[in-house]
Amino acid sequence: WYFYSKQQDETPAWKKVNYQSVYKDIADLLEDEDYDDGSYGPVFVRLAWHASGTYDKKTRTGGSSGGTIRHAPEAEHGANAGLEVARRRLEPLKQKYRNISYGDLYTLAGVVGIQELGGPTIQWRPGRSDLQAEACTPDGRLPDAAQGADHVRDIFYRMGFDDREIAALVGAHALGRCHSNRSGYEGPWNASPTAFTNFFYTELLENTWVTKKWDGPKQFVDKPTGAFMMLPADMAFKTDPRFRTYIELYARDQDTFFNDFSAAFAKLLELGVKFPDDAPTYRFKPLD
Ligand code: ZEM
């Protein structure tokens, strides 16, 4: 019996988790009529992105691998303000599935958010293993919304993305909203913030965007309603000629956007992760 129990113990933690079941449980956490626009999907997507977008290809540090976004100081970096809301919502699942790593849980929550809000299927693999606070990345690796195309390129090229992939990823701004008590900015990008669509591109191109008159940071609102917003960094995708080519493509061709987004988002979630050789690739079916 000794050898038997020893072998059992050697099963790596990540193999002991039923990820289809985790997917379902995350999906059950999405809806809440008292939260924002009724769904945690958008903030789960932002959590997955910020957990992953710290990757630096030169030093091969950062990324979702260690789940370090849960630790101070990374959790307290300005760019991550408000993400404790998403982590708190997911924590009961970490308790229920104690063998899942935080990196796997947070990235899977991003997949659920995209798929359950009507987006494309995102390929996903398990096998990240948690690291302690020493592995937190330095502040400043995520994009600053106040800046323009050069800065956006610096940040995303550092992760290993090209212009087309960057333009596809920012389409996630069809989802959710800005919160003045998190980033300082305010408002949603379009009228259906809980549906994954190509509306980021269509709104960006079709509206007239004017500077919002307020005490807050510089942002843009649509003329004449003022109901929707754009960040300065979002506007750079319209004014920069190379980005604009892709913005126009995705505005007129939702299928191409879905395909490109799916590939780029799956790549984002895997940056810097050394998966076990036998980690399977999942393509979860949306529940609805
Ligand atoms: Zn965002 N993003 N983002 N983004 N983002 C916000 C919200 C959301 C930038 C940015 O400064 C901000 C990507 C790229 C970039 C989402 C997903 C993705 C907010 C508002 C800001 C300020 C936060 C708040 O106040 O709650 C910048 C400058 C980006 C690069 C140019 C990429 C890539 C994303 C995923 C693929 C999502 C889903 C939200 C909405 C969150 C929510 O809580 O509703």
Side-chain angles (χ1 to χ4, degrees), residues 42-43 49 143 145 169 172-173 175-179 182-183 189 231:
V43 78
W49 136 239
L169 285 170
H173 282 174
L175 292 180
R177 56 171 57 245
C178 296
H179 306 74
R182 297 181 186 174
S183 61
W189 285 268
L231 301 163

Side-chain angles (χ1 to χ4, degrees), residues 23 29 38 56 65 81 107 115 131 146 156 187 219 222 248 273 288:
Y23 182 102
L29 291 176
D56 173 32
S65 187
T107 53
Q115 295 196 170
L131 294 171
F156 284 89
Q219 70 171 65
D222 70 299
E248 289 173 352
V273 183
D288 294 350

